[in-house]
Amino acid sequence: MSSAIHAPVSRPVPIPIGEILPWAAFAGILALLAIYFIGAEQGATALMSGHYLHEFVHDGRHIMAFPCH
């Protein structure tokens, strides 16, 4: 006679929203900063003088289809 051995079933532990929310807000702020510096840091809205930041993110600008010329 053969008997089947059943492994214990483990259930995923839910993560409380209170633990996710600060990290989601932090990631959102970083994403908005990245989009600003890649997409809008030039001309009248520039926070930094000169074109160093523009040239640093120039290729990323074209990859994300932001016009800059």
Side-chain angles (χ1 to χ4, degrees):
M1 210 191 268
S2 97
S3 62
I5 300 174
H6 296 284
V9 176
S10 63
R11 297 183 183 195
V13 178
I15 301 173
I17 192 77
E19 290 184 19
I20 295 175
L21 194 57
W23 290 104
F26 178 68
I29 290 170
L30 284 181
L32 288 174
L33 280 172
I35 289 172
Y36 171 76
F37 281 118
I38 291 173
E41 178 62 28
Q42 68 177 6
T45 62
L47 295 177
M48 300 177 187
S49 62
H51 293 283
Y52 298 111
L53 186 60
H54 173 83
E55 294 301 325
F56 182 72
V57 295
H58 189 88
D59 292 335
R61 205 175 265 264
H62 290 294
I63 289 171
M64 293 174 60
F66 282 102
C68 66
H69 299 270

